[in-house]
């Protein structure tokens, strides 16, 4: 291949260039091209025959056909002047693939200034486009990230700041960029920045660790922080990128879990105390081991039903009507039960002890009272008495009808103990148990505060 001479040039040098380069004589006929140019064109044109450009075909950026003599190198040679700023075009390969490029033609002259030919350097826009697209994708990812992403130079000056960082720390990008990153670090943690920068300088990445940073208003915020070095095109470390994730919700969840575990522990101990008391009292009245086991099983089942309501209510409490229906359901159809009263959310303690009381009443009613006969019914009514001076009072009446006449002494045992002493005492109230010809009547009176859930 013959090369039009130029100062300091050589075919070997240009052949080794990674960018497409070719030369022409003064009439525009190609005298040399390197392999990078051939790869862009998708062909090896014939030296001395190809003119102006080695492309099979040329197109304008809008897709229309471009004659070879319309390319920027042809303009430079035909007009006898360098074309500054480059010219954009599209090379069409023989296989139909289109390659956008920018041409940078330079006229080659002898010592007297006469034009000997031209050299054209082509920039493949596909590479630039892919880089631009990658940069845009990266920028979009950074900007849309839910984590705060901040970059800084080696002096600790903030150089970039995404929207999540603005939301987390309270500074806008305009307020943060150009300021020292230590404005985000509490005074007692400034040594962290020294440690981080020492590791960044030797190219190490700082894995995620939990720490505290400051918001614009001075309030601390717990974050999970990851720091990585930023390198320039030559591989030199020029800064650091920090990713900060707000872990306030995690910390709050951990605190809630700890509180919940303590509360669960407290409530389990209360349950144990109730069960132990129940076993002790049943043991006093049970006649045989078998009856003892049956009674304990039935009461624990009733306690579990009340516990289920508390779990469903997040241990805030349970509605009184739901508690009544849950305890009566094993003994009678809903149609045999009438309930009247305002909606009240019972506290956990009231749910457990009232649940036991309703179970005892329903058990006795099924054996001896209203539920032992087909036409028997149970009516439960409750109200809140508004007292001018002192705390409001909760009053509940269980009334049976349609059953056999009752008399004192028919229902002695653990159930009587629960109704007269255990349940009223647990709620700081009093009770009255009446045996009438129409059926049993149980009345409970207690301070509303000891019955109602604290969340109410």
């Amino acid at each position: 291949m013959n090369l039009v001479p130029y100062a300091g040039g050589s075919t070997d040098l240009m052949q080794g260039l990674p960018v497409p380069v070719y030369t022409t004589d003064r009439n525009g006929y190609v005298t040399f091209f390197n392999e990078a140019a051939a790869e862009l064109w998708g062909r090896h044109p014939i030296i001395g025959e190809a003119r102006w450009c080695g492309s099979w075909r040329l197109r304008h950026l809008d897709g229309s056909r471009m004659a070879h003599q319309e390319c920027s190198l042809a303009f430079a040679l035909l007009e006898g002047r360098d074309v500054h700023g480059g010219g954009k075009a599209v090379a069409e390969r023989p296989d139909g693939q289109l390659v956008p490029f920018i041409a940078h033609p330079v006229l080659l002259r002898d010592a007297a200034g006469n034009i000997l030919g031209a050299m054209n350097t082509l920039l493949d826009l596909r590479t630039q486009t892919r880089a631009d697209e990658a940069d845009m994708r990266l920028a979009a990812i950074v900007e849309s990230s839910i984590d705060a992403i901040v970059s800084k130079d080696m002096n600790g000056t903030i150089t970039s700041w995404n929207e999540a960082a603005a939301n987390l720390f309270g500074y806008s990008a305009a307020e943060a960029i150009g300021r020292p990153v230590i404005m985000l670090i509490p005074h007692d943690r400034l040594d962290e920045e020294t440690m981080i920068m020492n590791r960044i300088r030797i190219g190490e990445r700082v894995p995620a660790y939990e720490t505290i940073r400051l918001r614009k208003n001075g309030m601390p915020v717990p974050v999970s922080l990851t720091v990585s070095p930023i390198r320039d095109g030559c591989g030199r470390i020029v800064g650091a990128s920090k990713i900060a994730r707000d872990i306030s919700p995690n910390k709050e969840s951990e605190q809630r879990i700890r509180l919940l575990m303590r509360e669960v522990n407290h409530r389990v101990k209360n349950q144990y105390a109730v069960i132990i008391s129940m076993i002790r009292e049943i043991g006093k009245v049970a006649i045989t081991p078998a009856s003892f086991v049956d009674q304990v099983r039935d009461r624990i089942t009733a306690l579990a039903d009340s516990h289920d309501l508390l779990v469903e209510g997040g241990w805030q409490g349970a509605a009184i009507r739901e508690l009544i229906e849950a305890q009566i359901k094993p003994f009678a159809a809903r149609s045999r039960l009438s309930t009247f009263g305002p909606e009240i959310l019972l506290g956990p303690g009231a749910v457990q002890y009232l649940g036991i009381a309703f179970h005892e009443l329903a058990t006795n009613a099924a054996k001896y009272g209203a539920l032992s006969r087909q036409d028997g019914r149970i009516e439960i009514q409750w109200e809140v008495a508004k007292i001018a001076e002192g705390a409001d009072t909760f009053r509940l009446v269980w009334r049976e009808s349609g059953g056999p006449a009752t008399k004192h002494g028919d229902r002695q045992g653990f159930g009587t103990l629960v109704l007269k002493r255990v349940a009223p005492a647990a709620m700081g109230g009093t009770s009255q148990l009446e045996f009438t010809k129409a059926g049993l009547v149980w009345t409970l009176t207690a301070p509303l505060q000891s019955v109602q859930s604290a969340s109410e």
Side-chain angles (χ1 to χ4, degrees):
M1 298 180 184
N2 296 319
L3 173 65
V4 175
Y6 68 97
S10 73
T11 57
D12 290 339
L13 175 63
M14 289 194 293
Q15 190 62 258
L17 291 176
V19 295
V21 177
Y22 70 97
T23 61
T24 69
D25 61 20
R26 61 182 299 173
N27 295 314
Y29 289 98
V30 175
T31 58
F32 167 83
F33 59 87
N34 65 2
E35 284 302 314
E39 194 281 328
L40 185 146
W41 295 326
R43 63 191 291 264
H44 290 75
I46 298 174
I47 297 295
E49 291 186 9
R51 193 179 187 190
W52 308 121
C53 180
S55 298
W56 182 56
R57 289 176 181 170
L58 288 175
R59 293 184 180 273
H60 294 282
L61 293 182
D62 62 5
S64 60
R65 291 288 295 274
M66 174 191 290
H68 280 54
Q69 62 266 28
E70 295 180 74
C71 72
S72 57
L73 181 138
F75 277 119
L77 285 173
L78 293 173
E79 296 186 6
R81 61 181 179 85
D82 291 330
V83 177
H84 299 289
K88 293 183 179 181
V90 178
E92 182 178 350
R93 292 175 169 179
D95 61 4
Q97 186 176 357
L98 302 177
V99 181
F101 66 90
I102 298 178
H104 295 277
V106 176
L107 295 179
L108 302 176
R109 302 174 185 270
D110 61 15
N114 299 314
I115 297 175
L116 301 176
M119 180 176 68
N120 204 1
T121 304
L122 308 178
L123 177 61
D124 187 344
L125 289 181
R126 293 175 303 172
T127 304
Q128 185 65 39
T129 300
R130 286 193 293 268
D132 291 342
E133 289 176 351
D135 289 342
M136 287 188 293
R137 284 196 297 271
L138 179 59
I141 291 171
V142 169
E143 193 57 31
S144 63
S145 173
I146 62 173
D147 295 328
I149 301 179
V150 179
S151 62
K152 61 181 180 180
D153 61 22
M154 295 304 291
N155 296 318
T157 301
I158 296 171
T159 55
S160 71
W161 187 267
N162 72 345
E163 185 177 352
N167 295 334
L168 176 59
F169 297 114
Y171 296 95
S172 67
E175 292 174 313
I177 294 175
R179 297 182 63 183
V181 75
I182 58 174
M183 71 179 186
L184 305 175
I185 306 175
H187 290 296
D188 60 348
R189 293 178 180 265
L190 289 176
D191 58 333
E192 289 184 12
E193 182 65 7
T194 302
M195 177 275 293
I196 289 171
M197 293 309 298
N198 287 340
R199 296 185 64 173
I200 291 298
R201 286 188 178 92
I202 60 176
E204 287 188 5
R205 177 177 179 271
V206 180
Y209 73 100
E210 295 184 2
T211 185
I212 301 295
R213 290 298 180 258
L214 297 176
R215 300 184 193 271
K216 182 179 179 180
N217 60 10
M219 295 299 293
V221 54
V223 298
S224 175
L225 191 65
T226 303
V227 189
S228 302
I230 297 175
R231 300 177 185 271
D232 63 10
C234 298
R236 295 172 299 185
I237 297 172
V238 294
S241 173
K242 294 189 174 186
I243 301 177
R245 173 167 294 182
D246 184 0
I247 57 174
S248 299
N250 296 351
K251 293 297 183 182
E252 292 170 0
S253 295
E254 290 174 4
Q255 184 177 8
R256 285 196 297 269
I257 290 172
R258 285 193 294 268
L259 290 173
L260 178 60
M261 293 304 295
R262 285 197 292 268
E263 184 65 20
V264 167
N265 183 54
H266 171 70
R267 287 168 179 169
V268 167
K269 288 181 178 179
N270 285 345
Q271 291 276 20
Y272 288 156
V274 172
I275 293 172
I276 290 171
S277 175
M278 183 188 301
I279 292 173
R280 182 175 58 249
E281 298 300 334
I282 293 175
K284 294 177 182 180
V285 297
I287 299 174
T288 66
S291 65
F292 172 80
V293 171
D294 289 341
Q295 291 184 58
V296 169
R297 182 182 60 248
D298 291 344
R299 268 83 181 200
I300 291 179
T301 299
L303 195 61
D305 291 339
S306 299
H307 187 271
D308 288 342
L309 293 177
L310 287 175
V311 172
E312 291 175 5
W315 274 96
Q316 296 298 311
I320 185 171
R321 206 179 307 273
E322 292 180 355
L323 178 64
I324 293 170
E325 293 177 356
Q327 294 297 342
I328 301 297
K329 185 177 180 180
F331 302 96
R334 178 65 180 81
S335 58
R336 301 180 67 181
L337 174 67
S338 299
T339 56
F340 306 93
E343 295 295 331
I344 295 178
L345 188 67
L346 301 173
V351 169
Q352 294 180 81
Y353 285 100
L354 269 178
I356 294 173
F358 292 146
H359 173 78
E360 296 302 328
L361 288 165
T363 299
N364 288 333
K367 291 180 178 179
Y368 314 110
L371 299 182
S372 66
R373 292 188 177 179
Q374 187 174 358
D375 296 331
R377 293 183 57 81
I378 295 175
E379 179 184 295
I380 305 173
Q381 188 171 3
W382 64 92
E383 62 181 359
V384 175
K386 300 292 183 180
I387 299 176
E389 296 181 2
D392 293 343
T393 298
F394 171 80
R395 184 173 182 271
L396 180 140
V397 179
W398 169 293
R399 182 175 286 105
E400 299 179 20
S401 62
T406 60
K407 61 181 180 179
H408 191 274
D410 281 0
R411 306 183 189 184
Q412 296 296 317
F414 178 72
T416 303
L417 179 66
V418 168
L419 298 173
K420 285 186 174 182
R421 287 173 41 194
V422 177
M427 290 175 279
T430 59
S431 69
Q432 183 178 355
L433 193 60
E434 301 177 68
F435 300 91
T436 69
K437 291 183 178 180
L440 182 142
V441 178
W442 180 65
T443 304
L444 171 71
T445 304
L448 179 63
Q449 186 176 5
S450 66
V451 174
Q452 195 172 39
S453 170
S455 64
E456 289 283 277

